[in-house]
Amino acid sequence: MKARVIAIANQKGGAGKTTLAMNMAAGLARRGRTLVIDADPQGTASQWAAQAPDSAPFPASVIRVGGALARELERFRPDYGFILVDCPPAPAGETVRTVLIGADSLLVPVLPSPVDLWASLAMARAVEDARLRNRALRARLVLNQLEPRSALTRDVGQALSEMDMPALRSGLGRRAVFRASVLDGSSVYAQGGRGAAAVAEVEAIIEEVLAL
């Protein structure tokens, strides 16, 4: 079987793209062989994995790919159960277009504010273009940095209703453990009890995405 390819992209920096990609990769690695393709010129995913000690490497493979992404996706697809692509922050760029044509799913992490949601409208247009060649593409927003025990504001709910892309029911909370996992090159799965709530959030996202 070929790998399930999940693209993670947003035109706006700081939305938690790599945080989502790396923690999902750690969760998916428990289900099957998993690869993260770091297609972002900043190389954050690669730097993250490089922080891991030799005694406890990051649970998924992480590689940097700058060009010929379509060819690389096809090359690696037979060898993995899951491939996540951490895309550069540019929805109209050639890299993102290439990934969306070859992906099964697209996740667009966004902060829970109307301004950040509206800034993601370009991703919806990129999805429409990609579906001309990849009609099976499933795209979803993922709310990130949700405040614990707080409901979405009316303004955010209104902004979500105006989006052409639905949101997952699950999202990521604003938790220090997500930031802590970057420092030691791990994920929230390796943080013990203090990471339990974050793991539950990541698991809920994974289950939703696999059910699309």
Side-chain angles (χ1 to χ4, degrees):
M1 290 183 64
K2 289 188 175 182
R4 178 85 168 258
V5 176
I6 303 169
I8 300 179
N10 194 330
Q11 71 178 104
K12 191 174 184 296
K17 184 167 54 68
T18 305
T19 296
L20 179 61
M22 294 296 277
N23 283 286
M24 282 189 67
L28 288 167
R30 298 180 167 211
R31 295 163 167 83
R33 194 170 182 224
T34 300
L35 172 68
V36 177
I37 293 181
D38 185 358
D40 191 330
Q42 293 185 5
T44 306
S46 300
Q47 295 171 23
W48 184 322
Q51 296 296 112
D54 293 339
S55 58
F58 192 78
S61 301
V62 181
I63 63 167
R64 292 194 72 174
V65 173
L69 189 52
R71 185 178 64 197
E72 293 299 291
L73 270 176
E74 288 308 306
R75 181 165 74 92
F76 286 114
R77 206 161 187 170
D79 299 325
Y80 288 88
F82 307 98
I83 298 176
L84 295 98
V85 185
D86 189 5
C87 297
E94 187 60 36
T95 297
V96 175
R97 283 196 294 267
T98 298
V99 172
L100 294 189
I101 289 169
D104 299 292
S105 307
L106 166 68
L107 300 181
V108 182
V110 291
L111 302 182
S113 76
V115 171
D116 286 276
L117 285 165
W118 291 327
S120 301
L121 287 171
M123 288 306 309
R125 291 190 288 271
V127 169
E128 289 180 8
D129 292 342
R131 281 180 176 151
L132 296 175
R133 297 180 61 184
N134 180 10
R135 296 183 63 184
L137 179 65
R138 300 290 183 264
R140 297 291 188 273
L141 298 170
V142 182
L143 292 172
N144 185 30
Q145 296 189 28
L146 291 164
E147 294 290 347
R149 297 183 298 278
S150 67
L152 292 176
T153 66
R154 181 181 299 176
D155 288 344
V156 171
Q158 177 64 30
L160 277 171
S161 69
E162 296 172 3
M163 300 293 291
D164 292 329
M165 191 186 306
L168 293 180
R169 296 186 304 274
S170 309
L172 298 181
R174 188 179 182 89
R175 302 181 186 278
V177 70
F178 284 111
R179 296 187 292 275
S181 63
V182 181
L183 299 177
D184 56 11
S186 67
S187 71
V188 293
Y189 289 84
Q191 300 301 314
R194 67 173 180 160
V199 167
E201 292 171 349
V202 176
E203 283 291 307
I205 289 172
I206 289 173
E207 290 300 321
E208 274 198 71
V209 172
L210 294 183
L212 290 177

